[in-house]
Amino acid sequence: MSRQAPTLEDVAREAGVSRATVSRVVNGVRNVDPAIQELVRQAIRRTGYAPNRAARSLVTRRAEAVALVVSGAGDTSEEAQAGFAARVFADPFFGRVVAGIVGHLRPRSVHPVLMFAESAAAREEVLTYLGQGRADGALVVSSHADDPLPALLAEASLPAVLFARPARPVPLSHVDVAHRDGGRLAAEHLLARGCRRPATISGPLALPAGQERLAGFRDALARRGHARVPVAEGGFTHDSGLAAMAALLAEHPDVDGVFAANDLMARGACQALRDHGRRVPEDVAVVGFDDSTAAVDRHPHLTTVRQPVEDMAAEMARLLDEHIHGTRTDPTSVVFAPELVVRESA
Amino acid sequence: MSRQAPTLEDVAREAGVSRATVSRVVNGVRNVDPAIQELVRQAIRRTGYAPNRAARSLVTRRAEAVALVVSGAGDTSEEAQAGFAARVFADPFFGRVVAGIVGHLRPRSVHPVLMFAESAAAREEVLTYLGQGRADGALVVSSHADDPLPALLAEASLPAVLFARPARPVPLSHVDVAHRDGGRLAAEHLLARGCRRPATISGPLALPAGQERLAGFRDALARRGHARVPVAEGGFTHDSGLAAMAALLAEHPDVDGVFAANDLMARGACQALRDHGRRVPEDVAVVGFDDSTAAVDRHPHLTTVRQPVEDMAAEMARLLDEHIHGTRTDPTSVVFAPELVVRESA
DNA sequence: ATGAAAGCGCTAACAA
DNA sequence: TTGTTAGCGCTTTCAT
């Protein structure tokens, strides 16, 4: 709309040097006389020059941007799409992912482009976007077990890194947390505080995260003599946690400890427990998973298995960097250790 | 990393026409013989051609991307930054904004680049980013009353549209909801269902939204004979709502209706109420504001004043479009009507 | 209706 | 150390 933006040429003229020299100081390439460097810097300041990124990208073949794609599964209609974005963002987990990614990207001045891939058309769009070179690679967070996007990305050999191991193997790097260890941590804590009748609200068993948190919890309990542990499957949402807890209570009114496979469900469990006249943690101890904002956004603050999400997300970004720059070519998986955070609920 | 991407030139050779012709069919410019058009389309398919966006942007001077900036106020440190992103995303409100924006942007194949402007350095980055032409304009959502970004954007005459009227006037377009009308709706509903002792938990009074929702509520009540209404100021968070409700209860144990200036605080109020042995809505009716996911993510589902956030966000994107394309030059404000949604809590 | 050709602003050989 | 120059892939007059 406004004034015509100054170009390298303008700065060069202003400083009385060539375009190439200006380009060199802009890009911090050495072999430039300090005096001239200063001259150029002043000219840049005077002209208010800012490098045109399209021009640069055209020659460097790099967008300095990555797609941050939030991926679903189905062939959702336009209607459902709006809800999809809202739902994803409602998950307190996602904010930490973004924070971790931005933390890594920002110092490198690369920026995340937000994309949703909840339908076939949307997935196609992601591929096109990357194909056009508008982003150098993709960071993908799937919300479903059978998300087709990772495979598509791999097939097109586009640089991409996933959050969490996909349900079926895909030759793509990913980061994850040691879910089994997390389940174990929860079990041991419950036992250590004296629980005799532990139960669990698992995540969706179609997801590796759901299976493994459960397996870790069960194994640790089995090793300590609890062969059969009541399980109710949840869907990682508040309501499913509430319902699962109610079901558990109906079958086993004497439970005194619950491990919920995420914080949202733990919150739901707390509410169900209160609705049934049980105090947390006096009557029933509750351990969550994630350490999301949901863990401390109301009382009782949740004792929970912390996933170092920010670190994991930063590592995703780092891996993607390496794939983009060709420093790493083989798919790699980096697994982080969970950590028990003891608060009020157990 | 992989195969060299095909260019216009390649397609042209393949189809036996000139680059210009291929460009024309790619961009849907008429004046191209239908037969040749088909020929070119086939060549495109065969080669798997995808236009290089950097090259296109270089000549069109358009990035086909907009910055979606979430803006704070202070001069926050790096440390606090991580928390900032997580906090913003935790607000169920933000997901709807994103959904509305993406709904408008996607059909036009423009994409949102996520940026946080919570510190002076980060704000500078936003300006640079736009100055470099990496995005054509900015959609900004401020979380604080004294956010300096809008003024900076206006000063640099960069295309930008705000969500909500800024606390101090800035020559930038924005969308908003009629807060006063919303407050009035809440008051009338409470009265209509028989409340005799209404009170309110206001938003931060530094924000126009805080002031006006309160003013609308008060005015409507005053007109119906309730001259003095108990008010507790909250901070739009769950905890502040809980605390405010507790304070209200301490001073006025007989309240029978509460208008909370957003859903998060309404949830906090519900919890405080329950903690004090009051049933919702039997003993105390609660009305929220926003109709965010928080309104229905647990029981009782909230009766609330719905802000048509998706529509507002879409309108933001539309306005920005117009500013970018020069179809609109003067700052404009578009105000949406709120709507009462009656559910369980009142 | 189609083609030829001139750039858009930048980087990166290559020369000097 | 600095300058010259050749593109990067695309759109867009201007001819034809």
Side-chain angles (χ1 to χ4, degrees):
Chain A
M1 259 27 4
S2 39
R3 56 10 190 16
Q4 179 66 351
T7 73
L8 260 196
E9 188 72 51
D10 298 323
V11 179
R13 194 176 325 109
E14 178 82 14
V17 298
S18 75
R19 286 212 310 273
T21 300
V22 179
S23 174
R24 286 182 188 112
V25 352
V26 168
N27 294 296
V29 178
R30 54 175 178 287
N31 296 347
V32 178
D33 185 297
I36 298 208
Q37 230 171 96
E38 188 46 33
L39 222 61
V40 171
R41 259 184 247 296
Q42 289 178 7
I44 289 178
R45 220 162 298 130
R46 276 200 300 280
T47 52
Y49 169 75
N52 177 313
R53 299 299 313 215
R56 179 180 293 180
S57 287
L58 183 54
V59 28
T60 60
R61 306 181 155 291
R62 202 134 276 165
E64 304 287 295
V66 299
L68 170 49
V69 7
V70 184
S71 183
D75 199 340
T76 328
S77 69
E78 278 292 314
E79 293 307 304
Q81 180 262 311
F84 183 75
R87 231 170 316 119
V88 168
F89 280 70
D91 191 331
F93 176 83
F94 192 64
R96 292 179 62 200
V97 173
V98 172
I101 287 173
V102 170
H104 178 92
L105 258 31
R106 182 181 269 181
R108 293 164 180 74
S109 13
V110 359
H111 293 82
V113 177
L114 201 51
M115 305 190 77
F116 296 94
E118 80 293 356
S119 68
R123 283 188 283 275
E124 203 47 56
E125 198 198 326
V126 172
L127 295 181
T128 307
Y129 196 83
L130 292 165
Q132 290 183 149
R134 299 183 68 172
D136 302 321
L139 260 9
V140 1
V141 182
S142 292
S143 63
H144 280 70
D146 48 349
D147 178 10
L149 186 65
L152 295 173
L153 254 10
E155 197 180 342
S157 53
L158 291 165
V161 179
L162 313 177
F163 192 101
R165 177 164 69 79
R168 352 181 147 202
V170 167
L172 247 33
S173 289
H174 68 265
V175 302
D176 213 333
V177 71
H179 300 287
R180 294 188 118 84
D181 290 347
R184 189 173 48 69
L185 249 28
E188 286 167 359
H189 180 70
L190 252 18
L191 257 23
R193 79 188 310 283
C195 291
R196 315 296 308 245
R197 311 196 171 284
T200 182
I201 301 173
S202 79
L205 296 177
L207 249 32
Q211 293 164 20
E212 294 182 9
R213 290 175 196 178
L214 174 59
F217 184 72
R218 267 187 174 144
D219 289 354
L221 249 27
R223 248 187 322 250
R224 304 279 294 272
H226 294 263
R228 293 159 43 101
V229 177
V231 178
E233 183 175 354
F236 279 157
T237 63
H238 175 92
D239 279 359
S240 70
L242 192 150
M245 188 69 243
L248 245 21
L249 242 22
E251 290 259 339
H252 312 271
D254 56 349
V255 274
D256 59 359
V258 177
F259 166 48
N262 80 348
D263 292 339
L264 245 28
M265 295 196 300
R267 274 270 165 265
C270 286
Q271 181 159 331
L273 254 7
R274 181 156 51 185
D275 293 347
H276 287 75
R278 308 294 208 285
R279 293 165 305 164
V280 175
E282 294 81 356
D283 301 324
V284 182
V286 174
V287 176
F289 202 109
D290 281 352
D291 196 19
S292 66
T293 53
V296 291
D297 71 353
R298 63 198 65 190
H299 287 275
H301 285 188
L302 256 30
T303 288
T304 187
V305 177
R306 178 177 177 83
Q307 231 185 128
V309 177
E310 289 86 356
D311 296 344
M312 294 165 71
E315 177 66 18
M316 281 179 84
R318 221 182 51 70
L319 285 171
L320 185 59
D321 251 21
E322 296 189 353
H323 280 117
I324 289 171
H325 294 103
T327 346
R328 177 187 300 272
T329 50
D330 293 339
T332 308
S333 84
V334 179
V335 179
F336 288 73
E339 197 177 324
L340 186 76
V341 179
V342 180
R343 297 205 183 90
E344 302 165 2
S345 70
Chain B
M1 253 38 357
S2 39
R3 57 7 195 14
Q4 179 68 351
T7 74
L8 259 197
E9 187 71 53
D10 298 324
V11 180
R13 194 176 324 110
E14 178 83 13
V17 298
S18 74
R19 286 211 311 269
T21 301
V22 179
S23 175
R24 287 185 185 107
V25 352
V26 168
N27 294 297
V29 178
R30 55 176 179 285
N31 296 347
V32 178
D33 186 298
I36 298 208
Q37 230 171 97
E38 188 46 35
L39 221 61
V40 172
R41 257 184 248 297
Q42 287 177 7
I44 289 179
R45 220 162 298 130
R46 275 200 301 280
T47 53
Y49 169 75
N52 177 312
R53 300 300 312 218
R56 179 179 292 179
S57 288
L58 183 55
V59 29
T60 61
R61 305 178 158 292
R62 204 133 276 165
E64 303 287 296
V66 300
L68 171 49
V69 8
V70 184
S71 184
D75 199 341
T76 328
S77 69
E78 277 292 313
E79 293 306 303
Q81 180 262 314
F84 183 74
R87 229 171 316 116
V88 169
F89 280 71
D91 192 331
F93 176 83
F94 191 63
R96 292 180 62 199
V97 173
V98 173
I101 288 173
V102 171
H104 179 91
L105 258 31
R106 182 181 269 182
R108 293 164 180 73
S109 7
V110 359
H111 293 82
V113 177
L114 201 51
M115 304 190 77
F116 296 95
E118 79 294 355
S119 68
R123 283 188 282 276
E124 203 48 55
E125 198 198 324
V126 172
L127 295 180
T128 307
Y129 196 83
L130 292 164
Q132 291 184 148
R134 297 182 71 172
D136 302 320
L139 260 10
V140 2
V141 182
S142 293
S143 63
H144 280 69
D146 49 350
D147 178 9
L149 185 65
L152 295 174
L153 254 10
E155 196 179 344
S157 52
L158 291 166
V161 179
L162 313 178
F163 193 101
R165 177 165 67 81
R168 357 184 142 199
V170 167
L172 247 32
S173 289
H174 68 265
V175 302
D176 213 333
V177 72
H179 300 288
R180 294 189 120 84
D181 291 347
R184 188 172 48 68
L185 250 28
E188 285 166 359
H189 180 69
L190 251 19
L191 257 25
R193 77 189 312 283
C195 290
R196 315 296 308 246
R197 311 196 171 282
T200 183
I201 300 173
S202 79
L205 297 177
L207 249 31
Q211 292 166 20
E212 295 182 10
R213 289 174 197 179
L214 174 59
F217 185 71
R218 267 188 174 142
D219 289 354
L221 249 27
R223 248 186 322 253
R224 304 280 293 274
H226 294 264
R228 292 159 43 100
V229 177
V231 178
E233 183 176 354
F236 279 155
T237 63
H238 175 93
D239 279 0
S240 70
L242 192 150
M245 189 67 243
L248 245 21
L249 244 20
E251 290 259 339
H252 312 271
D254 56 349
V255 274
D256 59 359
V258 176
F259 166 47
N262 80 347
D263 292 339
L264 245 28
M265 295 195 299
R267 273 272 165 264
C270 286
Q271 181 158 333
L273 253 6
R274 182 156 53 184
D275 292 347
H276 287 76
R278 309 294 207 284
R279 292 165 305 162
V280 175
E282 294 82 356
D283 301 324
V284 182
V286 175
V287 176
F289 202 109
D290 281 352
D291 196 18
S292 65
T293 52
V296 292
D297 72 351
R298 62 199 66 190
H299 288 276
H301 285 187
L302 256 29
T303 288
T304 187
V305 177
R306 179 177 176 82
Q307 232 185 127
V309 177
E310 289 86 355
D311 296 344
M312 295 165 71
E315 178 65 19
M316 281 180 85
R318 221 182 51 71
L319 285 171
L320 185 58
D321 250 21
E322 296 189 352
H323 280 118
I324 289 172
H325 294 103
T327 344
R328 177 186 301 271
T329 51
D330 294 339
T332 308
S333 84
V334 179
V335 179
F336 288 74
E339 196 177 325
L340 187 75
V341 179
V342 180
R343 297 205 184 90
E344 303 165 1
S345 70

